[in-house]
Amino acid sequence: MSVEQRPEIVTLMAERGSFDPPAAFAARANATPALYDEANADFEAFWAREARERVDWETPFHTTLKWELPFAEWFVGGRLNISYNCLDRHVERGLGDKVAYHWIGEPGDTRTFTFRDLLVEVARCANALKELGVGQGDRVAIYLPMIPELPIAMLACARIGAPHTVVFGGFSAEALAGRINDAEAKVLITADGGYRRGNIVPLKQSADQAMQETPTVERCIVVRRTGHEVPMTAGRDLWWDDVVERQAAECPPVWVDSEHMLYLLYTSGTTARPKGIVHTTGGYLVGTSVTHHYIFDIKPDDVFWCAADIGWVTGHSYIVYAPLANATTGIIYEGAPDTPAWDRWWQIVEDYKVTILYTAPTAIRAFMKQGEAWPAKHDLGSLRLLGTVGEPINPEAWLWYHLNIGGERCPVVDTWWQTETGMILITPLPGITRTKPGSATFPFPGVGAAVLDSTGQPVGPGGGGYLVLTRPYPAMLRGIYKDPERYRQTYWTRFDGTYFTGDGARLDTDGYFWLLGRVDDVMNVAGHRISTIEVESALVDHPAVAESAVVGKTDPVVGQAIFAYVILKAGRQPSDELAVELREHVAKVIGPIAKPKHLMFAPDLPKTRSGKIMRRLLRDIAEGRALGDTTTLADAGVVETIRTESGREED
Ligand code: WTA
């Protein structure tokens, strides 16, 4: 769908004034306008300076950037270890007693780790992995709830040069198996379960199911979190307590090449098969730590809370690697924001004197719906900066956040980026940028972004089109795992030689970037990317389903809700029970996050004469919009029937 066809989003984003940086904030801000000048003059030199100042290299790099479009190498010749940069060097410099993480379990239990504590745990876990035969380059899959063992396991992998692939705990056994198999992981680290809204998420059960189809997995380490009984397979499964706790508290870091693969993270694209996004070590560390320092204005005494799940890229970059590299004290909360009540987060902010909060618009809209009485019950005076990520933020939610959480004193940074980019790319710099609610404002220093029309020409101020990235940057993806052709095809062919983000954007007359959401067949549900085709394949995988088409429908809380049209096989009758069963089926195949909110049985799908499903039309029907020209339809009658049915559809 083209951007021009989405006027409703543009209208929604109508400007609501602007906010100058508070003078007191500006006076102490890490970022200065000179950063833009420096980076504009020579972006490679800018990144090279930051890389030298911010990272400890075992061997210095000799070349900042090797760019053979579309393949980048950063800090070539450099050798380093990211866990050393996140832990050892801080301990060596006297920060061993500084808190790295305050962890809060959903039931109310807490744990605190200093940088020294974390280093010991990471070393033990790394030694355990070595004992199990994991060596440099071997992949380790991690399927854990938001417990301290999650970052510990990631850092332990990084310590020995074993790339990790973290699979979000909300994904199903099938989704887990698919990722493990693509990564060919040797070891899986999971838990007996995790807590979510007082319930136990049965991770080990899903892991067991997945491991029936994952021939590469030799060993499974199981963390005891909930303590309920789970089956353990002799010769394969080991309790974390048994294998990690008894290990030596020291493990020398393995120095790796700057371009050594740090991790794989799977994300949805326009096909049913998730893409294994490859991130490497040196550039990723530089890109994430630099952006964290300037965008979140990190000071030594800050308490930084990125409230994402570590299973997504936001957690990888801004809960684990960047904050630890910058020696920042962080918060990790295991559970749901409404457990036991809707002020759980505000209680945490008050208890731990959180200074910076980074979350998604979906969460803000959910809090907004519950009313300002919940945050008002707590002292949120410690907060000094707020951030958002994951989806476009509507000005109403921005203003609510600014007023009710930030007490009108905290700058709000709306940060645009992707799993692929690894680091924030479009964002205000607090203390410098005048913000406009709903706009992510400008590219970070050194980053090149542009908005192109469908012919590839840059749109001028006031124009709308497609967001592209025009320069390499250190944390960028290095490719799609084992599939360089798909990498090229997915990102570099829509506009030849320029990275296409898949997002629509508008430039206002002041040159501000306004993100308008995805323009491909990827939905953004509560800040999570889910492809329409993944959900469609999950539906047709059910024996009753002949065909399906899935579209995103605008939703006031989660941004986009999944709307599925289902055509049954001959002889199968639509029923409420079947609708429930189909939703559950999608949850089983992909995970609960992909469960369609709306499911409609349709007699047929509108198709063009060449047989292409008319998705735009289906979106219009889902949104209840007036229908455009349907003369190209093979069977125009279908549309009328679907539309009439859609009027009766139940959530
Ligand atoms: C969307 C999350 C508008 C966008 C870090 C992007 C945003 C996709 C913003 C990536 C923002 C992310 N404003 N849209 N500030 N941030 N997006 O890979 O569509 O889970 O392409 O990475 O989220 O989602 P992903």
Side-chain angles (χ1 to χ4, degrees):
M1 179 175 41
S2 80
V3 175
E4 299 73 40
Q5 285 161 341
R6 309 186 69 170
E8 79 288 356
I9 302 183
V10 181
T11 322
L12 228 160
M13 294 288 182
E15 284 180 29
R16 299 290 179 83
S18 60
F19 292 81
D20 282 319
F25 194 104
R28 297 189 62 228
N30 289 354
T32 61
L35 275 184
Y36 289 104
D37 301 334
E38 180 193 354
N40 278 338
D42 184 346
F43 76 97
E44 287 187 38
F46 164 73
W47 290 119
R49 178 188 58 73
E50 289 285 352
R52 287 193 190 97
E53 286 174 8
R54 211 167 285 286
V55 169
D56 280 38
W57 301 88
E58 189 254 352
T59 309
F61 56 93
H62 53 68
T63 304
T64 304
L65 170 65
K66 199 171 137 213
W67 181 222
E68 282 167 16
L69 196 145
F71 298 99
E73 289 178 36
W74 281 88
F75 312 118
V76 185
R79 292 178 74 77
L80 74 164
N81 181 284
I82 202 167
S83 84
Y84 175 84
N85 275 276
C86 288
L87 303 169
D88 308 55
R89 63 170 176 163
H90 304 320
V91 176
E92 288 164 15
R93 286 169 202 168
L95 293 176
D97 293 330
K98 182 171 177 175
V99 173
Y101 288 128
H102 290 291
W103 174 83
I104 302 128
E106 191 184 82
D109 47 340
T110 61
R111 291 164 79 186
T112 295
F113 292 81
T114 63
F115 279 91
R116 183 179 295 107
D117 297 335
L118 203 56
L119 175 57
V120 168
E121 297 305 324
V122 167
R124 287 203 172 110
C125 181
N127 285 328
L129 290 171
K130 286 204 281 192
E131 186 182 300
L132 299 181
V134 177
Q136 187 170 345
D138 289 338
R139 278 81 58 214
V140 173
I142 303 176
Y143 184 60
L144 285 173
M146 283 282 281
I147 55 177
E149 286 78 3
L150 175 48
I152 289 168
M154 293 163 73
L155 291 158
C157 288
R159 196 161 188 87
I160 59 172
H164 54 71
T165 186
V166 179
V167 179
F168 171 59
F171 277 122
S172 68
E174 288 182 39
L176 173 63
R179 286 156 172 78
I180 291 176
N181 286 334
D182 190 78
E184 299 172 279
K186 198 168 180 178
V187 166
L188 170 64
I189 305 178
T190 188
D192 52 0
Y195 290 105
R196 190 77 192 168
R197 296 208 164 82
N199 300 319
I200 289 178
V201 184
L203 291 170
K204 180 62 166 57
Q205 196 182 309
S206 303
D208 280 335
Q209 210 182 316
M211 282 187 287
Q212 289 177 3
E213 302 160 29
T214 56
T216 57
V217 174
E218 295 168 11
R219 296 299 195 130
C220 176
I221 302 179
V222 187
V223 180
R224 237 185 267 273
R225 167 61 184 135
T226 58
H228 73 291
E229 212 170 303
V230 295
M232 296 290 278
T233 301
R236 184 194 70 189
D237 300 351
L238 296 155
W239 289 107
W240 174 287
D241 301 347
D242 295 335
V243 66
V244 174
E245 299 300 305
R246 63 179 163 75
Q247 300 288 337
E250 274 164 30
C251 171
V254 172
W255 306 111
V256 298
D257 195 85
S258 178
E259 282 299 330
H260 183 71
M261 181 158 79
L262 173 64
Y263 68 78
L264 277 171
L265 186 59
Y266 288 83
T267 190
S268 298
T270 52
T271 73
R273 200 160 51 91
K275 303 174 283 197
I277 302 300
V278 176
H279 283 292
T280 59
T281 308
Y284 179 79
L285 175 58
V286 172
T288 54
S289 62
V290 170
T291 48
H292 181 250
H293 175 78
Y294 292 116
I295 298 166
F296 298 110
D297 191 53
I298 298 299
K299 305 283 198 261
D301 55 354
D302 271 316
V303 179
F304 178 78
W305 185 12
C306 166
D309 193 290
I310 294 175
W312 308 108
V313 74
T314 304
H316 279 57
S317 297
Y318 298 104
I319 298 177
V320 184
Y321 291 110
L324 293 176
N326 288 336
T328 309
T329 296
I331 300 282
I332 299 179
Y333 168 56
E334 178 187 32
D338 60 348
T339 307
W342 274 103
D343 61 345
R344 184 70 192 262
W345 281 25
W346 317 127
Q347 183 73 55
I348 293 173
V349 169
E350 180 172 353
D351 290 349
Y352 292 88
K353 302 205 168 20
V354 173
T355 57
I356 303 163
L357 177 66
Y358 187 36
T359 186
T362 287
I364 298 166
R365 288 189 294 261
F367 289 126
M368 218 171 135
K369 212 171 147 185
Q370 302 303 318
E372 49 270 21
W374 291 108
K377 287 202 321 201
H378 296 275
D379 177 4
L380 306 182
S382 56
L383 287 170
R384 65 183 196 88
L385 178 64
L386 302 175
T388 74
V389 59
E391 40 179 331
I393 183 162
N394 49 312
E396 288 75 9
W398 194 107
L399 292 166
W400 188 91
Y401 193 36
H402 182 252
L403 174 67
N404 294 290
I405 308 303
E408 290 182 291
R409 67 182 182 279
C410 305
V412 176
V413 290
D414 171 0
T415 66
W416 178 91
W417 57 298
Q418 309 181 297
T419 303
E420 291 86 341
T421 72
M423 63 190 255
I424 297 167
L425 293 186
I426 302 181
T427 178
L429 287 183
I432 296 184
T433 314
R434 170 194 283 177
T435 52
K436 297 186 185 184
S439 168
T441 74
F442 304 108
F444 187 81
V447 171
V451 182
L452 305 183
D453 66 20
S454 50
T455 68
Q457 291 307 306
V459 302
Y466 303 90
L467 180 70
V468 299
L469 303 172
T470 56
R471 274 183 200 160
Y473 47 93
M476 69 185 276
L477 77 165
R478 299 305 195 256
I480 295 176
Y481 192 50
K482 299 191 293 197
D483 203 345
E485 194 37 48
R486 189 177 178 200
Y487 168 61
R488 201 187 287 274
Q489 192 63 35
T490 307
Y491 303 105
W492 301 90
T493 52
R494 175 68 182 82
F495 300 102
D496 193 31
T498 303
Y499 176 94
F500 177 42
T501 61
D503 282 347
R506 182 171 72 88
L507 284 181
D508 72 13
T509 46
D510 299 324
Y512 280 64
F513 284 73
W514 295 74
L515 279 307
L516 304 178
R518 304 289 305 188
V519 293
D520 54 14
D521 290 325
V522 175
M523 299 171 286
N524 191 326
V525 182
H528 305 313
R529 277 163 65 172
I530 299 170
S531 85
T532 54
I533 298 161
E534 268 176 288
V535 181
E536 288 164 5
S537 343
L539 284 166
V540 295
D541 177 63
H542 188 281
V545 178
E547 204 182 353
S548 90
V550 167
V551 297
K553 172 179 162 66
T554 310
D555 183 278
V557 177
V558 298
Q560 278 190 303
I562 302 178
F563 193 118
Y565 296 89
V566 172
I567 289 116
L568 295 177
K569 284 190 181 148
R572 301 298 298 244
Q573 292 309 314
S575 69
D576 291 348
E577 295 71 41
L578 184 57
V580 170
E581 193 182 317
L582 293 179
R583 283 199 186 92
E584 287 309 323
H585 187 72
V586 176
K588 189 180 134 268
V589 177
I590 308 175
I593 45 165
K595 219 193 261 192
K597 179 167 180 190
H598 311 273
L599 191 144
M600 204 185 83
F601 295 106
D604 207 345
L605 292 173
K607 292 188 182 141
T608 60
R609 287 188 207 290
S610 61
K612 239 181 108 187
I613 295 174
M614 302 183 76
R615 292 179 172 277
R616 186 175 60 80
L617 198 59
L618 291 176
R619 269 189 286 257
D620 285 345
I621 297 170
E623 301 284 3
R625 275 197 294 262
L627 299 177
D629 178 23
T630 54
T631 50
T632 52
L633 273 180
D635 177 5
V638 169
V639 178
E640 235 357 89
T641 330
I642 294 181
R643 196 162 50 143
T644 326
E645 298 262 321
S646 139
R648 295 205 312 258
E649 160 264 343
E650 303 268 312
D651 169 24

